[in-house]
PDB file of all heavy atoms in Angstrom:
ATOM      1  N   ALA A  26     -34.470 -15.468 -16.401  1.00 77.00           N
ATOM      2  CA  ALA A  26     -34.710 -16.550 -15.445  1.00 77.00           C
ATOM      3  C   ALA A  26     -34.274 -17.890 -16.015  1.00 77.00           C
ATOM      4  O   ALA A  26     -33.611 -18.689 -15.337  1.00 77.00           O
ATOM      5  CB  ALA A  26     -36.186 -16.594 -15.055  1.00 77.00           C
ATOM      6  N   ALA A  39     -29.791 -32.896  -6.588  1.00 55.00           N
ATOM      7  CA  ALA A  39     -30.379 -34.030  -7.290  1.00 55.00           C
ATOM      8  C   ALA A  39     -30.489 -35.234  -6.345  1.00 55.00           C
ATOM      9  O   ALA A  39     -29.734 -35.362  -5.378  1.00 55.00           O
ATOM     10  CB  ALA A  39     -29.526 -34.396  -8.502  1.00 55.00           C
ATOM     11  N   PRO A  45     -26.467 -48.749  -0.223  1.00 92.00           N
ATOM     12  CA  PRO A  45     -27.183 -48.800   1.063  1.00 92.00           C
ATOM     13  C   PRO A  45     -26.345 -49.359   2.208  1.00 92.00           C
ATOM     14  O   PRO A  45     -26.699 -49.172   3.381  1.00 92.00           O
ATOM     15  CB  PRO A  45     -28.386 -49.701   0.759  1.00 92.00           C
ATOM     16  CG  PRO A  45     -27.964 -50.522  -0.417  1.00 92.00           C
ATOM     17  CD  PRO A  45     -27.064 -49.643  -1.223  1.00 92.00           C
ATOM     18  N   GLY A  84     -34.952  -2.751  11.849  1.00 96.00           N
ATOM     19  CA  GLY A  84     -35.461  -1.933  10.755  1.00 96.00           C
ATOM     20  C   GLY A  84     -34.485  -1.835   9.612  1.00 96.00           C
ATOM     21  O   GLY A  84     -33.440  -2.496   9.580  1.00 96.00           O
ATOM     22  N   GLU A 108      -3.854   3.063   1.123  1.00 93.00           N
ATOM     23  CA  GLU A 108      -4.610   4.256   1.475  1.00 93.00           C
ATOM     24  C   GLU A 108      -5.793   3.886   2.365  1.00 93.00           C
ATOM     25  O   GLU A 108      -6.210   2.725   2.416  1.00 93.00           O
ATOM     26  CB  GLU A 108      -5.116   4.952   0.201  1.00 93.00           C
ATOM     27  CG  GLU A 108      -3.995   5.380  -0.739  1.00 93.00           C
ATOM     28  CD  GLU A 108      -4.517   5.999  -2.016  1.00 93.00           C
ATOM     29  OE1 GLU A 108      -5.751   5.947  -2.242  1.00 93.00           O
ATOM     30  OE2 GLU A 108      -3.710   6.523  -2.796  1.00 93.00           O
ATOM     31  N   GLU A 134     -22.425  -5.045 -19.575  1.00 94.00           N
ATOM     32  CA  GLU A 134     -23.801  -5.084 -20.060  1.00 94.00           C
ATOM     33  C   GLU A 134     -23.885  -5.960 -21.300  1.00 94.00           C
ATOM     34  O   GLU A 134     -22.865  -6.450 -21.815  1.00 94.00           O
ATOM     35  CB  GLU A 134     -24.307  -3.673 -20.352  1.00 94.00           C
ATOM     36  CG  GLU A 134     -23.505  -2.889 -21.368  1.00 94.00           C
ATOM     37  CD  GLU A 134     -23.981  -1.446 -21.460  1.00 94.00           C
ATOM     38  OE1 GLU A 134     -24.930  -1.087 -20.745  1.00 94.00           O
ATOM     39  OE2 GLU A 134     -23.402  -0.699 -22.255  1.00 94.00           O
ATOM     40  N   ARG A 135     -25.099  -6.179 -21.760  1.00 93.00           N
ATOM     41  CA  ARG A 135     -25.354  -7.060 -22.899  1.00 93.00           C
ATOM     42  C   ARG A 135     -24.439  -6.702 -24.075  1.00 93.00           C
ATOM     43  O   ARG A 135     -24.276  -5.532 -24.409  1.00 93.00           O
ATOM     44  CB  ARG A 135     -26.819  -6.955 -23.315  1.00 93.00           C
ATOM     45  CG  ARG A 135     -27.231  -7.892 -24.457  1.00 93.00           C
ATOM     46  CD  ARG A 135     -28.714  -7.779 -24.719  1.00 93.00           C
ATOM     47  NE  ARG A 135     -29.493  -8.227 -23.574  1.00 93.00           N
ATOM     48  CZ  ARG A 135     -29.799  -9.495 -23.333  1.00 93.00           C
ATOM     49  NH1 ARG A 135     -29.387 -10.443 -24.161  1.00 93.00           N
ATOM     50  NH2 ARG A 135     -30.511  -9.811 -22.266  1.00 93.00           N
ATOM     51  N   LEU A 166      -3.290 -23.398 -15.203  1.00 98.00           N
ATOM     52  CA  LEU A 166      -2.414 -24.499 -15.593  1.00 98.00           C
ATOM     53  C   LEU A 166      -2.095 -25.395 -14.401  1.00 98.00           C
ATOM     54  O   LEU A 166      -1.389 -24.980 -13.476  1.00 98.00           O
ATOM     55  CB  LEU A 166      -1.121 -23.936 -16.180  1.00 98.00           C
ATOM     56  CG  LEU A 166      -1.305 -22.971 -17.356  1.00 98.00           C
ATOM     57  CD1 LEU A 166       0.029 -22.341 -17.750  1.00 98.00           C
ATOM     58  CD2 LEU A 166      -1.930 -23.686 -18.546  1.00 98.00           C
ATOM     59  N   LYS A 236       1.383 -17.324   1.176  1.00 97.00           N
ATOM     60  CA  LYS A 236       0.948 -15.998   1.594  1.00 97.00           C
ATOM     61  C   LYS A 236      -0.002 -15.418   0.568  1.00 97.00           C
ATOM     62  O   LYS A 236       0.237 -15.528  -0.633  1.00 97.00           O
ATOM     63  CB  LYS A 236       2.153 -15.066   1.777  1.00 97.00           C
ATOM     64  CG  LYS A 236       1.772 -13.671   2.286  1.00 97.00           C
ATOM     65  CD  LYS A 236       2.988 -12.798   2.538  1.00 97.00           C
ATOM     66  CE  LYS A 236       2.579 -11.420   3.046  1.00 97.00           C
ATOM     67  NZ  LYS A 236       3.753 -10.545   3.315  1.00 97.00           N
ATOM     68  N   GLY A 254     -16.479 -11.432   2.420  1.00 97.00           N
ATOM     69  CA  GLY A 254     -17.629 -11.656   3.292  1.00 97.00           C
ATOM     70  C   GLY A 254     -17.297 -12.509   4.495  1.00 97.00           C
ATOM     71  O   GLY A 254     -16.170 -12.983   4.663  1.00 97.00           O
ATOM     72  N   GLN A 370     -20.797 -40.354 -10.763  1.00 94.00           N
ATOM     73  CA  GLN A 370     -22.066 -41.043 -10.535  1.00 94.00           C
ATOM     74  C   GLN A 370     -21.842 -42.460 -10.010  1.00 94.00           C
ATOM     75  O   GLN A 370     -22.502 -42.897  -9.062  1.00 94.00           O
ATOM     76  CB  GLN A 370     -22.879 -41.089 -11.840  1.00 94.00           C
ATOM     77  CG  GLN A 370     -23.456 -39.751 -12.254  1.00 94.00           C
ATOM     78  CD  GLN A 370     -24.080 -39.784 -13.633  1.00 94.00           C
ATOM     79  OE1 GLN A 370     -23.772 -40.662 -14.456  1.00 94.00           O
ATOM     80  NE2 GLN A 370     -24.954 -38.824 -13.911  1.00 94.00           N
ATOM     81  N   ASN A 428      -9.637 -56.756  -6.219  1.00 47.00           N
ATOM     82  CA  ASN A 428      -8.364 -56.622  -5.508  1.00 47.00           C
ATOM     83  C   ASN A 428      -8.606 -56.145  -4.092  1.00 47.00           C
ATOM     84  O   ASN A 428      -9.456 -55.311  -3.864  1.00 47.00           O
ATOM     85  CB  ASN A 428      -7.462 -55.605  -6.212  1.00 47.00           C
ATOM     86  CG  ASN A 428      -6.336 -56.279  -6.999  1.00 47.00           C
ATOM     87  OD1 ASN A 428      -6.054 -57.447  -6.789  1.00 47.00           O
ATOM     88  ND2 ASN A 428      -5.712 -55.518  -7.879  1.00 47.00           N
TER      89      ASN A 428
END
Side-chain angles (χ1 to χ4, degrees):
E108 300 177 351
E134 58 187 359
R135 183 176 296 276
L166 304 173
K236 183 177 180 179
Q370 288 172 339
N428 255 344

